[in-house]
Amino acid sequence: MGKYIPSKSSWVAEQVELYESSLGVKGTTLKDTGLPVIIVTHRGRKTGAIRKIPLMKVVDGENYILVASMGGAPKHPGWYHNLKAQSNVEIRDKAKVYKMKVREVMGSLEKQRLWAIAVAVYPPYQEYQDKTDRNIPVFIAEANS
Ligand code: F42
């Protein structure tokens, strides 16, 4: 097991800390929007360290949809590269923790369907896509059985 290295971004690291230390009771929404957030625990592809990131909670049945939007930034977030390199993750959704496997959604029909679900839950994703040249990646996380 590698050690946990918190995000360099303090508001992100603080949300993870509050969410995890309260076992999913506190810090479970995006700022004051009331929209639910999950924590994705994964491994850094270069450091091998444990990384934890909050993401919007978007579901498709029992699966989670992870959108690597990073506010429409020109580059993919670090976690995108980590998940491409190592697909086993742990997802905390409030008090529940699931072991899951992620894959980037490449098929255009599947991606369109999942993107529509994500934008319905969190409309700013579309603004982020409109302002970046990147094609914002989408992962699906499925039970790791
Ligand atoms: N980001 C999203 O992309 N989508 C969301 O839906 C979303 C929702 C959200 C809700 C609440 C909240 O608090 C944050 C939210 N974020 C969302 C932001 C998200 O949690 C991430 O902070 C953001 O996407 C940036 O991801 P990042 O992995 O680039 O993290 C930055 C801040 C960071 O800590 N970068 C590290 C650094 O040192 O620069 C890199 C960490 C890392 O993973 N390093 C790897 C390693 O080996 O350890 C190597 C990575 C590489 O590039 O190869």
Side-chain angles (χ1 to χ4, degrees):
M1 268 303 222
K3 68 168 175 143
Y4 167 50
I5 305 182
S7 170
K8 281 199 297 203
S9 165
S10 60
W11 71 280
V12 170
E14 281 161 20
Q15 175 149 33
V16 170
E17 169 61 23
L18 187 61
Y19 202 128
E20 297 245 304
S21 65
S22 67
L23 299 179
V25 174
K26 294 183 184 165
T28 61
T29 62
L30 174 67
K31 298 180 176 158
D32 52 5
T33 62
L35 295 172
V37 163
I38 56 172
I39 304 288
V40 181
T41 298
H42 61 286
R43 201 166 283 281
R45 67 164 175 169
K46 294 178 188 160
T47 58
I50 294 170
R51 298 283 188 178
K52 292 172 186 277
I53 42 143
L55 294 178
M56 302 316 293
K57 175 180 174 180
V58 185
V59 294
D60 178 38
E62 301 203 328
N63 300 332
Y64 289 83
I65 301 168
L66 315 181
V67 180
S69 54
M70 198 165 142
K75 285 189 177 169
H76 293 331
W79 64 266
Y80 167 81
H81 302 288
N82 298 338
L83 264 47
K84 291 294 280 183
Q86 163 59 267
S87 58
N88 293 313
V89 303
E90 214 172 72
I91 292 187
R92 175 181 280 280
D93 182 355
K94 294 198 169 164
K96 295 192 174 146
V97 180
Y98 305 99
K99 288 203 184 309
M100 303 197 106
K101 206 168 186 69
V102 296
R103 64 178 166 83
E104 184 177 358
V105 177
M106 306 305 276
S108 56
L109 273 181
E110 187 184 19
K111 186 162 180 191
Q112 260 177 31
R113 186 178 75 79
L114 299 176
W115 180 257
I117 296 172
V119 170
V121 169
Y122 190 60
Y125 282 144
Q126 189 59 54
E127 293 164 32
Y128 300 158
Q129 180 58 80
D130 293 344
K131 79 173 195 191
T132 180
D133 292 335
R134 276 193 304 135
N135 189 359
I136 292 181
V138 171
F139 291 90
I140 186 94
E142 295 160 317
N144 196 355
S145 50

